Amino acid sequence: MTRLTEGTVVDGRYRVKSLIGSGGMADVWLAEDLHLPRRVALKVLHDHFARDPEFIERFRREAEAAAALQQVNIVSIFDRGQVDHTYYIAMAYLDGRTLRDLINFGLTPTESVAIVRQVLEAAGFAHRHGVIHRDLKPMNVIVDSTGLATVTDFGIARAGLSEITEAGSILGTVNYLSPEQAEGYEVGPPSDLYSVGVILYECLTGRLPFEGDTAVAVALKQLSEQPPAPSTWNPDVSPALDAVVMTALRREPYERYQDADSFIAALDAAEAKPGEVYEEPTPRWPWVVGVISAVLIGLILWGMLRDNTVEVPRVVGSDLDSAITRLGADGFTVGDVERVQRDVPLNQVVNQDPVGEADRDCKLFGWFCSDPDVDLTVSGGPGQVEVPDVAGQTREVAEQTLDEAGLGVAVETRNSSDVPSDFVIETSPPAGESVRRGSQVTLIVSSGPGQVSVPPVVGQMKNAAEQQLSARGLESSSREQASDRPSGEVLSQSPDAGTKVDPGSTVELVVSSGPEPVTDVDVPNVVGLTRSEAVSDLRALGLSPSVQEQPTDIQPQDGRVIDQNPGGGSTVKEGTRVVVTVGVFQSPGGGTSPDGSGSP
């Protein structure tokens, strides 16, 4: 059996929230419509029905017929489709209690009649449009807090006795089947009205007219027994209401009410005069015949001479529900409802026939006349269109393609290393999906590869650093620098770690080549050279000169090296510090030289 779970998205549109009911033929799930802001009820057929091609074809035809039934007491059907290996119908979610729950709580006769009258309104509307429900029962009636009753399952419950013998389903259904349906014969409106009679009986008494331990036992009682009147179990039921129920439950279809309007009229009469059971009177005197004949002749003449035209209200431009209500309030019945694709709101009436002054349908010399049925042509919306495949196109070309298909366009960007910047990656809804013309399709457009963060590689060995950079899609270059760090260790990087760069960017590495080699140097003798000469010679050999001054009273030593350490001819390592002592002349009188070195 197909079992959905919370969060599952059916057909790319309906997100499942919770299981709200289960029966012999289907499960019902509460779901959220992702395209429109509304909750829906998803009725999902059990898998074994989906394996019967004949059943599925009938299911498809009747689902389409049921979707055309737009009436306040009939649940609205939005969509149908396939999920996993079975099929579903998406319909309006009804917030209320089932009639089964209300029967269990207990109903008064007045409440029972009010609910059943609405069930009859739904059945009658469907019958006039050629749809027989075939499975009317309390579980298929939802009543909201205002008392509005809505009938569900039109188009899904055509099963006869042979199709509902699965375990757990037959006992819940056979009690409401008419005798002819239980016997497997073709059924019509009187069969549905028998089921309504059973529902009314149960509303009034809290029990079924025929009960048994098995489906066969119930069916045999229906065919051979007369149920006790409802007042047997509930003394509040009037004689007139008893008679209405018993008429609806007669075994032969032709003995029952032939249409829902007759059933409703009988309920109205029973409520108006609860103590009277209508019986047709029999004339007792011959003169009554003459009087009746005269009256009939007068009525015939009146019918032939009276004006039998009527003004049909104009409902073009109204929504379907409002049009039906307006026509019904003026005494007109809606006939055929044809749906066409129009660029106007869904369910708006675009044409009607007749409109204005029209002839009434009269019989028996104009004695019995009825207003003409009004056929309506209703917008089915702008129609469906498949989302074109624009993947790989530039954004500009894709927008033009969607516009020519009659679709709106929204754009979202996404990084992609596979699709060039400003080219389409995909669409939402995806290419090939059927959507309502004029609805919005989102283009997912590539913004090119996204930037990457430069990883920290300082302190790593060169090979490991290059591998880490390559894993991020980055290039690397390197140069060596002498250092006391081990050879091959990364000393620095540019850009720094954490910097955002484009994929393929180059990170420059400075890599240690190890310490510089140390060479031996012979220290030159710089005694007698000027300060600048000594410093220049020492530096040229890679030594590190350090100068200190020392007073001298010998004029020629002024500004010249008078000592050095290490001495000339010594062998030292390159970079060794050599201290040179420079003389600063001072006269015997204590003055310095004119240049400040000690000479006067």
Side-chain angles (χ1 to χ4, degrees), residues 402-432:
L402 292 176
D403 181 67
E404 291 173 352
L407 298 168
V409 182
V411 177
E412 293 180 5
T413 58
R414 180 189 299 168
N415 294 133
S416 174
S417 58
D418 300 321
V419 179
S421 179
D422 208 39
F423 280 74
V424 176
I425 302 172
E426 60 183 353
T427 60
S428 177

Side-chain angles (χ1 to χ4, degrees), residues 164-483:
I164 55 172
T165 53
E166 299 294 331
S169 65
I170 181 66
L171 285 177
T173 300
V174 74
N175 290 298
Y176 303 93
L177 296 183
S178 65
E180 64 271 20
Q181 190 173 356
E183 290 180 287
Y185 294 119
E186 183 62 29
V187 298
S191 180
D192 274 355
L193 301 184
Y194 180 95
S195 301
V196 177
V198 177
I199 293 172
L200 179 55
Y201 190 103
E202 192 174 6
C203 288
L204 294 170
T205 67
R207 61 194 300 161
L208 293 161
F210 299 104
E211 294 181 316
D213 294 334
T214 65
V216 174
V218 173
L220 288 175
K221 287 185 177 181
Q222 287 178 319
L223 297 173
S224 61
E225 296 181 11
Q226 181 77 0
S231 59
T232 303
W233 314 110
N234 183 359
D236 291 336
V237 178
S238 69
L241 191 51
D242 263 344
V244 173
V245 176
M246 300 306 285
T247 299
L249 295 179
R250 288 177 180 169
R251 182 181 182 282
E252 298 296 339
Y254 62 83
E255 295 178 340
R256 304 176 205 139
Y257 301 109
Q258 296 302 293
D259 54 59
D261 289 342
S262 300
F263 201 152
I264 293 172
L267 288 174
D268 292 344
E271 284 194 317
K273 297 180 179 180
E276 296 183 14
V277 178
Y278 177 77
E279 294 181 359
E280 185 177 358
T282 301
R284 297 182 181 275
W285 301 279
W287 59 267
V288 173
V289 176
V291 172
I292 293 175
S293 298
V295 171
L296 289 176
I297 292 172
L299 289 174
I300 290 172
L301 291 174
W302 173 78
M304 292 175 65
L305 296 175
R306 69 171 177 163
D307 181 9
N308 286 321
T309 61
V310 66
E311 187 71 21
V312 181
R314 179 179 177 82
V315 295
V316 172
S318 304
D319 65 85
L320 180 58
D321 285 344
S322 299
I324 293 172
T325 301
R326 168 71 189 284
L327 292 169
D330 287 357
F332 293 92
T333 299
V334 174
D336 294 332
V337 176
E338 179 186 2
R339 291 188 174 273
V340 295
Q341 290 184 2
R342 291 289 189 274
D343 193 17
V344 297
L346 179 69
N347 286 335
Q348 180 174 313
V349 178
V350 297
N351 198 10
Q352 70 178 85
D353 182 31
V355 64
E357 190 175 274
D359 292 331
R360 306 181 76 207
D361 182 17
C362 296
K363 299 179 177 61
L364 291 178
F365 307 102
W367 191 4
F368 296 105
C369 294
S370 61
D371 291 337
D373 288 352
V374 181
D375 297 333
L376 301 178
T377 303
V378 179
S379 170
Q384 298 290 110
V385 62
E386 282 192 3
V387 177
D389 186 358
V390 295
Q393 296 182 3
T394 65
R395 170 178 171 172
E396 181 180 359
V397 172
E399 287 179 342
Q400 181 178 351
T401 301
L402 292 176
D403 181 67
E404 291 173 352
L407 298 168
V409 182
V411 177
E412 293 180 5
T413 58
R414 180 189 299 168
N415 294 133
S416 174
S417 58
D418 300 321
V419 179
S421 179
D422 208 39
F423 280 74
V424 176
I425 302 172
E426 60 183 353
T427 60
S428 177
E433 181 171 317
S434 292
V435 297
R436 186 175 63 84
R437 189 182 303 276
S439 59
Q440 183 170 280
V441 173
T442 301
L443 291 175
I444 312 299
V445 177
S446 171
S447 57
Q451 289 195 315
V452 295
S453 178
V454 177
V457 295
V458 173
Q460 299 182 19
M461 299 307 290
K462 177 184 176 183
N463 287 344
E466 289 175 339
Q467 290 177 5
Q468 187 171 351
L469 292 171
S470 177
R472 295 284 184 94
L474 300 172
E475 303 291 334
S476 62
S477 65
S478 63
R479 62 182 178 84
E480 292 188 337
Q481 176 179 303
S483 164

